[in-house]
Amino acid sequence: MERSPDIIWAYRGKTDLAVGTQATTIEKILGWTAGFIGVVLIGFFYWKNDFDWTIWQYILAVIIAYDIVGGAVANSLNSCKRFYHSSLQTFEPNYVKLAKNHLFFSIIHIHPLIVSLIFSSASWFYGVFWYLILQISVLTVTNTPLYLQRPVSMLIIVTALLINGYFVSSPTGFEWFVPVLFIKIVYGHTVKEEPYRPETEKNI
């Protein structure tokens, strides 16, 4: 019978905020490839529909797609779960402690405000609404007992998906944005889960 991967919280090496310090090769590939897929698919959608945007708006939209789509996968990696849910290690610079703060991580994701400001001709409501809901969601999950964090995060994500689809209109071209953002932050970054590592990669 094949041995199950080990749960390992210890890590070492050069700080990697993107995919987590000491990520395995396949974890790195998954994280960076996800961002590339986001750029290709969403970028193709933008090109095909020929939105009335300036060049810099297209560039910004693609950057947002790379960050959010790639981050949704990267934050769910075992290496990221291990890194962001561990206390500051002795070999890490002090700024890492701030990066590991889930609320701070969520607060700096001002993407809804940017999308609303740059791509919405309607109002600021979309950006302000989703930015505030995101912070409330992270606070809710972090204050939820560990054994309920995953289902609570999924409840929040499903609710956000339905509100996004039927009640709060998205700026044209960003219909995908809120569901993927909430997957990235509310589940991927905030929910604490056991960080597995294959036996062949166990070199702590």
Side-chain angles (χ1 to χ4, degrees), residues 32-48 62 65-66 69:
W32 294 112
T33 300
F36 175 74
I37 290 173
V39 167
V40 171
L41 295 181
I42 296 174
F44 176 76
F45 172 76
Y46 291 155
W47 172 77
K48 183 180 179 181
V62 169
Y66 183 85
V69 176

Side-chain angles (χ1 to χ4, degrees), residues 11-23 28 79 83 89 91-93 95-96 100 204:
Y11 63 88
R12 65 188 180 195
K14 184 179 179 181
T15 297
D16 191 330
L17 300 177
V19 293
T21 301
Q22 205 180 3
K28 293 177 182 178
S79 52
F83 175 75
Q89 306 298 301
F91 57 85
E92 291 177 321
Y95 74 84
V96 174
K100 289 172 180 278
I204 297 297

